[in-house]
Amino acid sequence: MFSLARPRRLRRTPVIREMVRETVLLPSDLVYPLFVRSGVGARVEISAMPGNYHFSVDRLVEEVGAASEEGVRSVLLFGVPDRKDEEASEAFRDEAPVPMAVRALKAAYSDLCVITDVCLCAYTSHGHCGVVKEGEVQNDPTLPILARVAVSHARAGADIVAPSDMMDGRVGAIREALDDAGYAGVAILSYAAKYASAFYGPFREAVASAPQFGDRRSYQMDPANSDEALVEVGLDLEEGADIVMVKPALSYLDVIRRVKDTYGVPLAAYNVSGEFAMLVAAADRGWIERERTILEILTSIRRAGADIILTYHAREAARLLR
Ligand code: PBG
């Protein structure tokens, strides 16, 4: 005779299953990443990320309007600059695509949460996330530039800035610069545990940010490590991060859980471009069911402990969750 417990009793009807469901996924948990470029009337599909585009500001405003109607409440903006140089000067120009987009979105949709990615890799000719000297990515000389980028986004009206560069000390440098410039209310979402991952491939194609020499392993984390993620998160919190992020999400669900259990702070996870591309490619071949798989993946990231999920599926998922 087996135990008298029968877990199947609570799986018999949809209402009972819903009553005992532990994890709830809501459109308000999702952040929709978008790419903005210069020009007018532009909407150019990114080949490795079907359904994602480079938008000019006017077309971006249209896209976000449609997404908001479907329940998306928050966006993350990446800039696709016209020119790149050694100093990443397009990254902090007030008339560059990202600040222009922030101003336009905040003017059009007052309750939208606008987050901006703060990094140099899309803006540097060498494609690294920091200043390069003698073939090495320099940590401390990069910090004032990142701070300048963050302040330019805050000046445009960003609600949250999200540094993704992985330089040591950048959260503190950005916090101080924001406060000095009068933006004490702008929050920092730090890409705290960001791994040197193969899953960023499609994104690097999207913003042409693949490093021109070497790789990012001298600043992004070794995929083999998880104690180190706790160190990184601890430092960013000490420096003033309001939300911390683990990135990518799916190969790092254990890290998400450890960070949540250890710190109990608002936690984001980035369901990155390669994770998106794998799902879309398999669904297009009819090998998996697209919609069910999207919701299962996003639920698993929430279940692991993430409060917020950055995902290219945001618009579709919000629609499915209504
Ligand atoms: C820039 C940055 C990257 C991503 C977000 N910000 C790429 C990288 O580190 O090369 C990846 C996002 C994705 O793959 O969806 N530092």
Side-chain angles (χ1 to χ4, degrees):
M1 185 50 193
F2 51 82
S3 151
L4 291 178
R6 288 181 183 271
R8 287 188 54 193
R9 283 182 202 116
L10 300 183
R11 296 182 200 137
R12 287 183 65 219
T13 74
V15 178
I16 298 176
R17 287 198 292 272
E18 221 172 295
M19 238 172 352
V20 299
R21 185 162 299 148
E22 299 172 37
T23 305
V24 183
L25 181 66
L26 297 171
S28 53
D29 304 329
L30 307 176
V31 176
Y32 185 21
L34 290 156
F35 300 89
V36 58
R37 47 161 278 176
S38 64
V40 179
R43 181 175 179 272
V44 183
E45 190 161 35
I46 300 163
S47 68
M49 300 172 68
N52 290 268
Y53 303 84
H54 290 171
F55 292 104
S56 54
V57 172
D58 57 322
R59 300 299 296 273
L60 180 82
V61 170
E62 282 173 23
E63 171 70 12
V64 173
S68 329
E69 267 166 42
E70 290 170 346
V72 171
R73 315 276 298 276
S74 181
V75 297
L76 169 68
L77 300 183
F78 291 100
V80 184
D82 289 333
R83 54 188 177 79
K84 302 175 189 255
D85 58 30
E86 295 270 311
E87 294 78 41
S89 43
E90 270 295 286
F92 45 78
R93 201 167 58 88
D94 284 317
E95 302 308 313
V98 168
M100 301 222 330
V102 172
R103 287 192 289 270
L105 290 174
K106 292 303 285 185
Y109 314 111
S110 53
D111 43 13
L112 179 77
C113 172
V114 178
I115 308 173
T116 59
D117 187 85
V118 172
C119 196
L120 306 189
C121 59
Y123 299 92
T124 50
S125 37
H126 46 68
H128 278 290
C129 303
V131 175
V132 171
K133 217 170 101 191
E134 283 148 21
E136 265 204 53
V137 177
Q138 306 291 310
N139 196 88
D140 297 11
T142 302
L143 303 183
I145 307 179
L146 292 167
R148 201 167 160 189
V149 175
V151 169
S152 76
H153 295 174
R155 187 158 47 237
D159 298 288
I160 302 177
V161 293
S164 67
D165 53 284
M166 287 298 278
M167 297 301 118
D168 293 329
R170 92 278 205 209
V171 173
I174 289 171
R175 184 69 273 159
E176 204 176 297
L178 288 173
D179 290 359
D180 287 350
Y183 302 110
V186 172
I188 298 176
L189 187 177
S190 78
Y191 290 64
K194 177 174 178 180
Y195 287 87
S197 171
F199 288 101
Y200 308 149
F203 175 94
R204 289 183 190 170
E205 187 201 303
V207 297
S209 68
Q212 297 304 297
F213 65 89
D215 54 43
R216 301 210 204 290
R217 285 178 231 208
S218 77
Y219 43 105
Q220 298 182 347
M221 284 177 55
D222 183 337
N225 295 354
S226 100
D227 289 343
E228 189 189 359
L230 302 183
V231 173
E232 282 284 4
V233 167
L235 288 168
D236 283 7
L237 290 172
E238 268 171 42
E239 291 173 32
D242 300 282
I243 306 172
V244 290
M245 193 202 295
V246 172
K247 175 183 174 190
L250 293 182
S251 294
Y252 302 88
L253 294 175
D254 57 323
V255 178
I256 293 173
R257 173 46 61 197
R258 283 192 81 188
V259 169
K260 191 61 178 177
D261 286 346
T262 305
Y263 294 102
V265 296
L267 176 59
Y270 203 137
N271 176 217
V272 299
S273 58
E275 298 171 335
F276 171 85
M278 285 195 303
L279 187 154
V280 170
D284 282 353
R285 282 162 183 72
W287 292 346
I288 53 170
E289 273 180 66
R290 178 175 174 125
E291 298 184 348
R292 279 188 62 198
T293 311
I294 290 173
L295 293 179
E296 183 172 335
I297 282 178
L298 297 178
T299 301
S300 75
I301 299 170
R302 285 275 293 124
R303 192 196 62 233
D307 304 293
I308 302 164
I309 306 171
L310 296 91
T311 177
Y312 303 98
H313 301 296
R315 192 175 159 182
E316 186 172 358
R319 201 185 311 135
L320 294 173
L321 291 169
R322 299 207 112 183

